[in-house]
Amino acid sequence: MSLGLRLADSLSGRVRLGAVVLDGVTVRASVPALDAGLDRLCAELLERYGGGRSREVPGAADARALYRAVGLDPTKTRPSNEALLRRVLKGQMPYRINALVDALNLSSLREQLPFGLYDLDQITPPVTLRLGGPGEGYEGIRKGRVNVEGRPALIDAEGPFGNPSSDSARSMVRPQTSRVLVTCYAPVSCPSDRMAGVLDRTRDTLIRFCGGRETERHIL
């Protein structure tokens, strides 16, 4: 079943959205080669930029530009990639969740863009990226309610389930997950060919450590 993915008119001309569906993935607790790669990347970032400001890391400005384009202050509501980067620059390793989530964290640190990762079997198409309406929100992962009113959010037939800062418990990856939706958010100034490269590298990283194959792709 196709996602029926669309970008609401209210965000057209302000947001670039990329999405890939992977089928047949295996959620492993950990993969030694992935752990080593993530450790290495974090050490490199810490050596080069530790003690500095996350906004000074090349590429980090893109996520901030995205937030400003939709009326959000990125210093108050952090893009997920910058929240992860700030942790690394303090000398703290990313939380290890499972190989699929860890591989996406590696991609986020490498690309310096916010991503989303969702169990596709918990999503009911069609899916739209739009601004959240009054009172809209969801139960976050390891946190309370996430308010998405006035913020860009992914919405399916059951309601909102993700945004560029944090995702929902409803659509989170589980040990039995076998189909995933991966999203990447960027400012509209990000060319489509650059987004295609980001999606290619991210897909290859996830498949390398968790298997599966690409079955659907969108760049809006």
Side-chain angles (χ1 to χ4, degrees), residues 62-63 66-67 79-81 108 112-116 163-165 183-186:
D62 288 337
L66 165 66
Y67 272 47
S80 59
N81 63 295
S108 181
Q112 280 308 306
L113 289 171
F115 285 83
N163 73 50
S165 290
T183 57
C184 181
Y185 309 88

Side-chain angles (χ1 to χ4, degrees), residues 3 19-23 120 180-182 213-217:
L3 286 172
V20 167
V21 171
L22 299 181
D23 194 2
L120 196 55
V180 294
L181 166 63
V182 181
R213 62 188 179 89
E214 179 181 331
T215 58
E216 189 174 343
R217 172 181 292 218

Side-chain angles (χ1 to χ4, degrees), residues 32-46 88 93-94 96 106 109:
L34 171 59
D35 290 341
L38 189 52
D39 288 347
R40 185 166 53 250
L41 177 56
C42 290
E44 291 173 357
L45 288 169
L46 182 60
V88 170
M93 291 298 294
R96 300 302 168 95
L106 187 154
L109 288 169

Side-chain angles (χ1 to χ4, degrees), residues 1-81:
M1 180 185 297
S2 172
L3 286 172
L5 187 66
R6 63 177 294 269
L7 184 66
D9 291 343
S10 60
L11 294 177
S12 179
R14 293 195 279 173
V15 175
R16 179 84 63 204
L17 176 65
V20 167
V21 171
L22 299 181
D23 194 2
V25 301
T26 299
V27 181
R28 299 178 173 88
S30 64
V31 176
L34 171 59
D35 290 341
L38 189 52
D39 288 347
R40 185 166 53 250
L41 177 56
C42 290
E44 291 173 357
L45 288 169
L46 182 60
E47 181 179 0
R48 292 182 184 180
Y49 308 108
R53 299 177 182 271
S54 56
R55 68 185 182 187
E56 296 171 355
V57 175
D62 288 337
R64 289 190 166 211
L66 165 66
Y67 272 47
R68 292 191 181 98
V70 297
L72 297 177
D73 183 345
T75 66
K76 295 180 179 178
T77 303
R78 299 282 182 187
S80 59
N81 63 295

Side-chain angles (χ1 to χ4, degrees), residues 106-187:
L106 187 154
S107 296
S108 181
L109 288 169
R110 180 181 61 208
E111 305 294 347
Q112 280 308 306
L113 289 171
F115 285 83
L117 179 66
Y118 312 99
D119 184 332
L120 196 55
D121 289 330
Q122 308 304 317
I123 295 171
T124 305
V127 175
T128 301
L129 181 68
R130 64 167 171 79
L131 294 176
E136 284 192 313
Y138 48 76
E139 191 71 15
I141 301 175
R142 297 182 301 280
K143 62 175 65 177
R145 183 172 174 80
V146 175
N147 173 40
V148 298
E149 181 176 347
R151 301 179 180 186
L154 290 168
I155 319 284
D156 71 352
E158 299 179 42
F161 64 90
N163 73 50
S165 290
S166 59
D167 293 323
S168 70
R170 165 167 71 95
S171 58
M172 65 185 284
V173 168
R174 297 162 172 81
Q176 65 271 27
T177 296
S178 63
R179 299 192 306 146
V180 294
L181 166 63
V182 181
T183 57
C184 181
Y185 309 88

